[in-house]
Amino acid sequence: MNYKILLLLGLMGAPLRAVSLDGTSAVVYQSGPYAFSDGNVARGFVWLAGGLSVPADGTVTLDLPIPVSGPITCNETGKLSLGSDLYLASDASFADGCKVDGADKSIHLRSSLKLPAGKTFEITSNTTINGNGNRLDLNGSNFYVNGASATTLRLKNMVLYGLRDLSDTIAAIRFGETEGHRLVLDNVTIYLTGDYTFAGGALSIVETVKLIGDHTFNYTSSKHCIINHGSMLMLDMHVTFNYQPEDRLAKHLVFKGRDAALFLHGGTLFVPKANGINLVKGHLIVDHKSYIQQDWVPDDDFGVGGGRVVFGDGKHKGANMAVDIMPSAQLVNMSAAISFGNIDLPV
Amino acid sequence: MNYKMLLIVLLASAQAYSELYAATVFGSRQSSIVVDDNSAFFITPSKITLDGGNFNNTGFGKVSGGDMYIKAGTYTFFNSVSDFTGLVKTDTSTIQLGNNPVTGGDTMIANPGGLAGVHVTAVPGENILRGQPLFFGDNDLNVADETSLLNIAVQNTVNTNVNLNGGALQLQDDLRFGDNAIIQDSGWVFLNNRRISLGGQSAQWPGDIFWIAAQDIQLNSAVNLTGNWLFVGEGQINGNGNVIDISQGGQILVAEDSSLRLSSVQIKGLGPGKIRLSRTATLILTDVVLEMEDDYNVASGTWRVEGSSKVITKDKILSFIDGPPGFKGKLVVDRVDFTYDTLATLDRLNIRPALINDPLREHVEILGNGEIGTIKRDTITFHNYRAESLLQKYAIVAPYRKFQVYPELQDDESLNYNVLIDGNTNFLGFTRSDEQVFFVTDGVQARTENVIMRDLSPKHISIGAGSSLTFGNKTIISLARNEYLNYPWVFQGDTMLKGSGVILELGPQGAIILQGTDSKLLLDGIILKGVNGNNVRCTDDSNVIQLRAVKWIQNGDFTYNTGGIQLVDDATMVGPHNFTYGSSQPFAILNNATLYLVRDAVFTFAGQPNGLTFEDASAALQMDQATLAAPNGLTLSTGRFVVRNQNYLSGSVTLDRSTLTVDQTGSLLKL
């Protein structure tokens, strides 16, 4: 469509006060910040060229096929309810914290987005943030998944920068009290800017997920971390994935199949002997000098009173944890007790 | 790297795992699983396969559980790297080669310093161990059984024993054993034109080893061979002067159409140990010493002496004889000397047959002026307890080379205390030491024969408790200086005591005793002092003491009652004591001999009235201030009677002037 025509149509129909914007029959163009009222809806060809605002504790529903430009102000507690996927134009930004009721819809980035510092973005229903290859800079803000049971935040196709614990109790991505919340990382490169603790929810790895940065990703949730078919969690140089679930069970790192991979690309899989870990049915790929590390000390009798790092089950080929060590790569067993139970396959 | 591509590739391969790949795949030989110190790697299945990469146990990690088959990869232990296709048995820290189901053989190539403390067991198949492994266990190289072959090309010293278990070791490079390492048991060794150097520590080799084409075996210490070494093809042992002791039953065998060259080696114990050749086999000796402990017959094969060699036969016989039909033993001496040494035993032509007894050269052949001969040696203590012992050559007896006479050990292992020392007409030369150097040990009744004991001193002799020493037949004792004898010297047979003018003084316990029958002792050139009582005597009337150039000086009265006395040359009796000759046997003054009685000597002749005889007119009795008494009467005839100065006669002394020449310038008074 010719956007000039749409612009003219929008100018002709511009409202004089904060009301819902209906672009279903004509283009609505707002050149400046548009302050919605609670319960307003923007639907259809509504061009919010100068941003928008949502009143505190209010809810605005956006059902827009065209990108939103300018700053978005939610007054910390205002909620964006998505009636369809939301596209953020390259100049779009968030001015403060926000609640997002994704309703299984996606927020699409048209360019890199830097969140305002120290703010909370509360996800109240299933939401996908699709970076489309752009960078999402958390900038000290956090995503708080806090909807009904099984609310899922999917971060997709992005570079997620600044994942870290913000304080002892607040992590850059965290979950509310309700059970079943989930974070899906789908083709995401994560730059850790500090140690990060993943607690409370479940984690799904889809496509390639890279953890980068000289920091630790603490997995303390008692829910599964699932690496899906055709997916790979990569720990880049000096990244430590600390598998330390609260329930101390060894089974929470789940590989959906042998095409689900944990790729130690110079990173470390740290598993306290207090819990151990079972690596079954999946695929471990090693490049550079990578580590499987535990905290056994010389006086320990390996395997007594602690958990090992277990590959396969020693009985069934189907439970094998395939291991590929790339050319010149090293998998270093550091103070760990590896129980290597892979069964030979036909060669 | 494009990780998405990588993921696609790897995951695609992962999906095919169940069909094509081992559970663990390494991208290159440098791809590694590292079990760091203070880590553990437990293998749950009975065996896992690591394909193409490196398994690195840094040394203080714990690797246990099932076995680990490394396929065309590397194995690192204590920072040492070995290229490896084989099995690591984790529970025993053993490396096994030969588990490859396709080839049956595995390979290990140890880089320098590799394989610390790891055992290599080559199980069935043809396996290869190369490089520079270090072994710290005593028994780290094992071949599983007779179906196993280990090809070995180790460039550094192998400091561990090899256990063949009937299997085979084939050298692909020179093999150098450490000082305390050996092949402990039985099996096959193919030298394959390589050298094997045995360790520098004496060791027992108990196994039966087939040495195949072993052309270069180097000894660096003694080998106590109690097993059998069979050489097939061309073999050579270069002993570097070391000993192979086969005395405990070891055997060196050479197969048909094969040869074994022994070079610079000493073989001890031939007799109990055997050197056995097949019919067409050859034993080549070069600079070899063979020591025999029993008679030995060579009834098959050829001994060829190409370099000077020696057999220490002692009293044993090395014979080259006919064997079973078609077999015969032969000795060929090729332009060199082949000697035998009987040590202190009689030469019995100890290598037989002698040439004269083998005119057709069936058993002994000498080429190019070679020679079979015996060795004359200067023994140190010649007596070796054997009845046939005798002095092969003169010997010098000195404080640094003492002569000890022990009881003889007889064949039934009993002891014979009657020991004959046969000088074989040689001399024992005594140095002028005052130390005891000739010992007759306790209980031994020693007797000399056919020997000259040159410059012997009474001080030299030690007689043990209950023992005795008799100077027997053909024994000549010469004194080199004035001596004091204070214990009996006993003579028997035809004997001689020479002084060359020195003094022999008899002490209170000193005596010269001539025993036996028909014995004769010649006292020659001695000033004999301290004579009294009967300290010079015979024990039988058939015995005779002869005097030549003897000055007889008594320190008390003396009586001679048994046996005779002969003057074979001049002798002088000096007074003032009484010499009483009471024997029934003649006192004979022989041709040109004179008995001088001087300086108040009293010669009482109490024998037969005609018992003082002159052989002829040249024999004389001269008195010079002396007394001649004849209580039983005495007639002097035939010889000369010379009187000088004042002399006395007592008893009935008759001068038969018809035959006796009296030369009297002095007086002769009748008492």
mmCIF file with all atom_site columns, all heavy atoms in Angstrom, chain B residues 129-142:
data_model
loop_
_atom_site.group_PDB
_atom_site.id
_atom_site.type_symbol
_atom_site.label_atom_id
_atom_site.label_alt_id
_atom_site.label_comp_id
_atom_site.label_asym_id
_atom_site.label_entity_id
_atom_site.label_seq_id
_atom_site.pdbx_PDB_ins_code
_atom_site.Cartn_x
_atom_site.Cartn_y
_atom_site.Cartn_z
_atom_site.occupancy
_atom_site.B_iso_or_equiv
_atom_site.pdbx_formal_charge
_atom_site.auth_seq_id
_atom_site.auth_comp_id
_atom_site.auth_asym_id
_atom_site.auth_atom_id
_atom_site.pdbx_PDB_model_num
ATOM 1   N N   . LEU B 1 129 ? 54.465 -52.743 18.968 1.00 0.00 ? 129 LEU B N   1
ATOM 2   C CA  . LEU B 1 129 ? 54.813 -51.779 20.003 1.00 0.00 ? 129 LEU B CA  1
ATOM 3   C C   . LEU B 1 129 ? 56.073 -51.068 19.555 1.00 0.00 ? 129 LEU B C   1
ATOM 4   O O   . LEU B 1 129 ? 57.120 -51.690 19.389 1.00 0.00 ? 129 LEU B O   1
ATOM 5   C CB  . LEU B 1 129 ? 55.050 -52.477 21.350 1.00 0.00 ? 129 LEU B CB  1
ATOM 6   C CG  . LEU B 1 129 ? 55.566 -51.577 22.467 1.00 0.00 ? 129 LEU B CG  1
ATOM 7   C CD1 . LEU B 1 129 ? 54.556 -50.471 22.785 1.00 0.00 ? 129 LEU B CD1 1
ATOM 8   C CD2 . LEU B 1 129 ? 55.877 -52.387 23.714 1.00 0.00 ? 129 LEU B CD2 1
ATOM 9   N N   . ARG B 1 130 ? 55.954 -49.759 19.365 1.00 0.00 ? 130 ARG B N   1
ATOM 10  C CA  . ARG B 1 130 ? 57.093 -48.993 18.886 1.00 0.00 ? 130 ARG B CA  1
ATOM 11  C C   . ARG B 1 130 ? 57.267 -47.741 19.745 1.00 0.00 ? 130 ARG B C   1
ATOM 12  O O   . ARG B 1 130 ? 56.394 -47.366 20.517 1.00 0.00 ? 130 ARG B O   1
ATOM 13  C CB  . ARG B 1 130 ? 56.884 -48.559 17.431 1.00 0.00 ? 130 ARG B CB  1
ATOM 14  C CG  . ARG B 1 130 ? 56.857 -49.695 16.441 1.00 0.00 ? 130 ARG B CG  1
ATOM 15  C CD  . ARG B 1 130 ? 56.531 -49.195 15.048 1.00 0.00 ? 130 ARG B CD  1
ATOM 16  N NE  . ARG B 1 130 ? 56.509 -50.290 14.074 1.00 0.00 ? 130 ARG B NE  1
ATOM 17  C CZ  . ARG B 1 130 ? 55.915 -50.214 12.896 1.00 0.00 ? 130 ARG B CZ  1
ATOM 18  N NH1 . ARG B 1 130 ? 55.315 -49.110 12.537 1.00 0.00 ? 130 ARG B NH1 1
ATOM 19  N NH2 . ARG B 1 130 ? 55.936 -51.248 12.066 1.00 0.00 ? 130 ARG B NH2 1
ATOM 20  N N   . GLY B 1 131 ? 58.376 -47.115 19.528 1.00 0.00 ? 131 GLY B N   1
ATOM 21  C CA  . GLY B 1 131 ? 58.591 -45.827 20.171 1.00 0.00 ? 131 GLY B CA  1
ATOM 22  C C   . GLY B 1 131 ? 59.504 -45.917 21.374 1.00 0.00 ? 131 GLY B C   1
ATOM 23  O O   . GLY B 1 131 ? 60.427 -46.739 21.422 1.00 0.00 ? 131 GLY B O   1
ATOM 24  N N   . GLN B 1 132 ? 59.238 -45.075 22.321 1.00 0.00 ? 132 GLN B N   1
ATOM 25  C CA  . GLN B 1 132 ? 60.120 -44.969 23.471 1.00 0.00 ? 132 GLN B CA  1
ATOM 26  C C   . GLN B 1 132 ? 59.321 -45.046 24.773 1.00 0.00 ? 132 GLN B C   1
ATOM 27  O O   . GLN B 1 132 ? 59.301 -44.105 25.560 1.00 0.00 ? 132 GLN B O   1
ATOM 28  C CB  . GLN B 1 132 ? 60.914 -43.660 23.416 1.00 0.00 ? 132 GLN B CB  1
ATOM 29  C CG  . GLN B 1 132 ? 61.785 -43.547 22.180 1.00 0.00 ? 132 GLN B CG  1
ATOM 30  C CD  . GLN B 1 132 ? 62.566 -42.259 22.160 1.00 0.00 ? 132 GLN B CD  1
ATOM 31  O OE1 . GLN B 1 132 ? 63.147 -41.844 23.153 1.00 0.00 ? 132 GLN B OE1 1
ATOM 32  N NE2 . GLN B 1 132 ? 62.587 -41.598 21.030 1.00 0.00 ? 132 GLN B NE2 1
ATOM 33  N N   . PRO B 1 133 ? 58.677 -46.149 25.005 1.00 0.00 ? 133 PRO B N   1
ATOM 34  C CA  . PRO B 1 133 ? 57.916 -46.257 26.241 1.00 0.00 ? 133 PRO B CA  1
ATOM 35  C C   . PRO B 1 133 ? 58.839 -46.466 27.443 1.00 0.00 ? 133 PRO B C   1
ATOM 36  O O   . PRO B 1 133 ? 59.932 -47.024 27.321 1.00 0.00 ? 133 PRO B O   1
ATOM 37  C CB  . PRO B 1 133 ? 57.062 -47.503 26.007 1.00 0.00 ? 133 PRO B CB  1
ATOM 38  C CG  . PRO B 1 133 ? 57.889 -48.333 25.087 1.00 0.00 ? 133 PRO B CG  1
ATOM 39  C CD  . PRO B 1 133 ? 58.616 -47.358 24.193 1.00 0.00 ? 133 PRO B CD  1
ATOM 40  N N   . LEU B 1 134 ? 58.358 -46.013 28.569 1.00 0.00 ? 134 LEU B N   1
ATOM 41  C CA  . LEU B 1 134 ? 59.049 -46.299 29.824 1.00 0.00 ? 134 LEU B CA  1
ATOM 42  C C   . LEU B 1 134 ? 58.191 -47.278 30.609 1.00 0.00 ? 134 LEU B C   1
ATOM 43  O O   . LEU B 1 134 ? 56.978 -47.149 30.662 1.00 0.00 ? 134 LEU B O   1
ATOM 44  C CB  . LEU B 1 134 ? 59.243 -45.021 30.634 1.00 0.00 ? 134 LEU B CB  1
ATOM 45  C CG  . LEU B 1 134 ? 60.165 -43.974 30.042 1.00 0.00 ? 134 LEU B CG  1
ATOM 46  C CD1 . LEU B 1 134 ? 60.221 -42.764 30.961 1.00 0.00 ? 134 LEU B CD1 1
ATOM 47  C CD2 . LEU B 1 134 ? 61.555 -44.539 29.826 1.00 0.00 ? 134 LEU B CD2 1
ATOM 48  N N   . PHE B 1 135 ? 58.849 -48.215 31.212 1.00 0.00 ? 135 PHE B N   1
ATOM 49  C CA  . PHE B 1 135 ? 58.133 -49.195 32.024 1.00 0.00 ? 135 PHE B CA  1
ATOM 50  C C   . PHE B 1 135 ? 58.651 -49.100 33.451 1.00 0.00 ? 135 PHE B C   1
ATOM 51  O O   . PHE B 1 135 ? 59.853 -49.125 33.671 1.00 0.00 ? 135 PHE B O   1
ATOM 52  C CB  . PHE B 1 135 ? 58.363 -50.614 31.498 1.00 0.00 ? 135 PHE B CB  1
ATOM 53  C CG  . PHE B 1 135 ? 57.949 -50.800 30.065 1.00 0.00 ? 135 PHE B CG  1
ATOM 54  C CD1 . PHE B 1 135 ? 58.863 -50.654 29.043 1.00 0.00 ? 135 PHE B CD1 1
ATOM 55  C CD2 . PHE B 1 135 ? 56.652 -51.112 29.750 1.00 0.00 ? 135 PHE B CD2 1
ATOM 56  C CE1 . PHE B 1 135 ? 58.494 -50.824 27.728 1.00 0.00 ? 135 PHE B CE1 1
ATOM 57  C CE2 . PHE B 1 135 ? 56.266 -51.281 28.429 1.00 0.00 ? 135 PHE B CE2 1
ATOM 58  C CZ  . PHE B 1 135 ? 57.181 -51.141 27.423 1.00 0.00 ? 135 PHE B CZ  1
ATOM 59  N N   . PHE B 1 136 ? 57.745 -49.011 34.376 1.00 0.00 ? 136 PHE B N   1
ATOM 60  C CA  . PHE B 1 136 ? 58.174 -48.922 35.761 1.00 0.00 ? 136 PHE B CA  1
ATOM 61  C C   . PHE B 1 136 ? 57.795 -50.152 36.568 1.00 0.00 ? 136 PHE B C   1
ATOM 62  O O   . PHE B 1 136 ? 58.194 -50.283 37.715 1.00 0.00 ? 136 PHE B O   1
ATOM 63  C CB  . PHE B 1 136 ? 57.593 -47.669 36.413 1.00 0.00 ? 136 PHE B CB  1
ATOM 64  C CG  . PHE B 1 136 ? 58.192 -46.405 35.873 1.00 0.00 ? 136 PHE B CG  1
ATOM 65  C CD1 . PHE B 1 136 ? 57.494 -45.608 34.994 1.00 0.00 ? 136 PHE B CD1 1
ATOM 66  C CD2 . PHE B 1 136 ? 59.476 -46.039 36.216 1.00 0.00 ? 136 PHE B CD2 1
ATOM 67  C CE1 . PHE B 1 136 ? 58.049 -44.447 34.480 1.00 0.00 ? 136 PHE B CE1 1
ATOM 68  C CE2 . PHE B 1 136 ? 60.043 -44.890 35.706 1.00 0.00 ? 136 PHE B CE2 1
ATOM 69  C CZ  . PHE B 1 136 ? 59.339 -44.086 34.845 1.00 0.00 ? 136 PHE B CZ  1
ATOM 70  N N   . GLY B 1 137 ? 57.018 -51.034 35.990 1.00 0.00 ? 137 GLY B N   1
ATOM 71  C CA  . GLY B 1 137 ? 56.710 -52.276 36.683 1.00 0.00 ? 137 GLY B CA  1
ATOM 72  C C   . GLY B 1 137 ? 57.743 -53.344 36.341 1.00 0.00 ? 137 GLY B C   1
ATOM 73  O O   . GLY B 1 137 ? 58.502 -53.218 35.380 1.00 0.00 ? 137 GLY B O   1
ATOM 74  N N   . ASP B 1 138 ? 57.751 -54.395 37.125 1.00 0.00 ? 138 ASP B N   1
ATOM 75  C CA  . ASP B 1 138 ? 58.709 -55.466 36.895 1.00 0.00 ? 138 ASP B CA  1
ATOM 76  C C   . ASP B 1 138 ? 58.318 -56.344 35.721 1.00 0.00 ? 138 ASP B C   1
ATOM 77  O O   . ASP B 1 138 ? 59.177 -56.962 35.096 1.00 0.00 ? 138 ASP B O   1
ATOM 78  C CB  . ASP B 1 138 ? 58.847 -56.333 38.152 1.00 0.00 ? 138 ASP B CB  1
ATOM 79  C CG  . ASP B 1 138 ? 59.525 -55.584 39.279 1.00 0.00 ? 138 ASP B CG  1
ATOM 80  O OD1 . ASP B 1 138 ? 60.261 -54.613 38.977 1.00 0.00 ? 138 ASP B OD1 1
ATOM 81  O OD2 . ASP B 1 138 ? 59.309 -55.940 40.446 1.00 0.00 ? 138 ASP B OD2 1
ATOM 82  N N   . ASN B 1 139 ? 57.040 -56.447 35.465 1.00 0.00 ? 139 ASN B N   1
ATOM 83  C CA  . ASN B 1 139 ? 56.565 -57.384 34.453 1.00 0.00 ? 139 ASN B CA  1
ATOM 84  C C   . ASN B 1 139 ? 55.537 -56.699 33.560 1.00 0.00 ? 139 ASN B C   1
ATOM 85  O O   . ASN B 1 139 ? 54.367 -57.060 33.551 1.00 0.00 ? 139 ASN B O   1
ATOM 86  C CB  . ASN B 1 139 ? 55.953 -58.624 35.126 1.00 0.00 ? 139 ASN B CB  1
ATOM 87  C CG  . ASN B 1 139 ? 56.946 -59.356 35.987 1.00 0.00 ? 139 ASN B CG  1
ATOM 88  O OD1 . ASN B 1 139 ? 57.861 -59.987 35.489 1.00 0.00 ? 139 ASN B OD1 1
ATOM 89  N ND2 . ASN B 1 139 ? 56.772 -59.250 37.295 1.00 0.00 ? 139 ASN B ND2 1
ATOM 90  N N   . ASP B 1 140 ? 55.988 -55.740 32.824 1.00 0.00 ? 140 ASP B N   1
ATOM 91  C CA  . ASP B 1 140 ? 55.061 -54.893 32.082 1.00 0.00 ? 140 ASP B CA  1
ATOM 92  C C   . ASP B 1 140 ? 54.917 -55.259 30.610 1.00 0.00 ? 140 ASP B C   1
ATOM 93  O O   . ASP B 1 140 ? 54.161 -54.629 29.898 1.00 0.00 ? 140 ASP B O   1
ATOM 94  C CB  . ASP B 1 140 ? 55.498 -53.432 32.182 1.00 0.00 ? 140 ASP B CB  1
ATOM 95  C CG  . ASP B 1 140 ? 55.081 -52.826 33.509 1.00 0.00 ? 140 ASP B CG  1
ATOM 96  O OD1 . ASP B 1 140 ? 54.416 -53.535 34.277 1.00 0.00 ? 140 ASP B OD1 1
ATOM 97  O OD2 . ASP B 1 140 ? 55.426 -51.669 33.765 1.00 0.00 ? 140 ASP B OD2 1
ATOM 98  N N   . LEU B 1 141 ? 55.655 -56.218 30.158 1.00 0.00 ? 141 LEU B N   1
ATOM 99  C CA  . LEU B 1 141 ? 55.527 -56.606 28.755 1.00 0.00 ? 141 LEU B CA  1
ATOM 100 C C   . LEU B 1 141 ? 55.171 -58.085 28.701 1.00 0.00 ? 141 LEU B C   1
ATOM 101 O O   . LEU B 1 141 ? 55.994 -58.943 29.018 1.00 0.00 ? 141 LEU B O   1
ATOM 102 C CB  . LEU B 1 141 ? 56.849 -56.372 28.018 1.00 0.00 ? 141 LEU B CB  1
ATOM 103 C CG  . LEU B 1 141 ? 56.922 -55.134 27.126 1.00 0.00 ? 141 LEU B CG  1
ATOM 104 C CD1 . LEU B 1 141 ? 58.304 -54.999 26.543 1.00 0.00 ? 141 LEU B CD1 1
ATOM 105 C CD2 . LEU B 1 141 ? 55.902 -55.212 26.025 1.00 0.00 ? 141 LEU B CD2 1
ATOM 106 N N   . ASN B 1 142 ? 53.971 -58.347 28.312 1.00 0.00 ? 142 ASN B N   1
ATOM 107 C CA  . ASN B 1 142 ? 53.504 -59.722 28.325 1.00 0.00 ? 142 ASN B CA  1
ATOM 108 C C   . ASN B 1 142 ? 52.871 -60.086 26.989 1.00 0.00 ? 142 ASN B C   1
ATOM 109 O O   . ASN B 1 142 ? 52.066 -59.332 26.448 1.00 0.00 ? 142 ASN B O   1
ATOM 110 C CB  . ASN B 1 142 ? 52.460 -59.912 29.428 1.00 0.00 ? 142 ASN B CB  1
ATOM 111 C CG  . ASN B 1 142 ? 53.015 -59.576 30.793 1.00 0.00 ? 142 ASN B CG  1
ATOM 112 O OD1 . ASN B 1 142 ? 53.739 -60.363 31.373 1.00 0.00 ? 142 ASN B OD1 1
ATOM 113 N ND2 . ASN B 1 142 ? 52.708 -58.390 31.293 1.00 0.00 ? 142 ASN B ND2 1
#
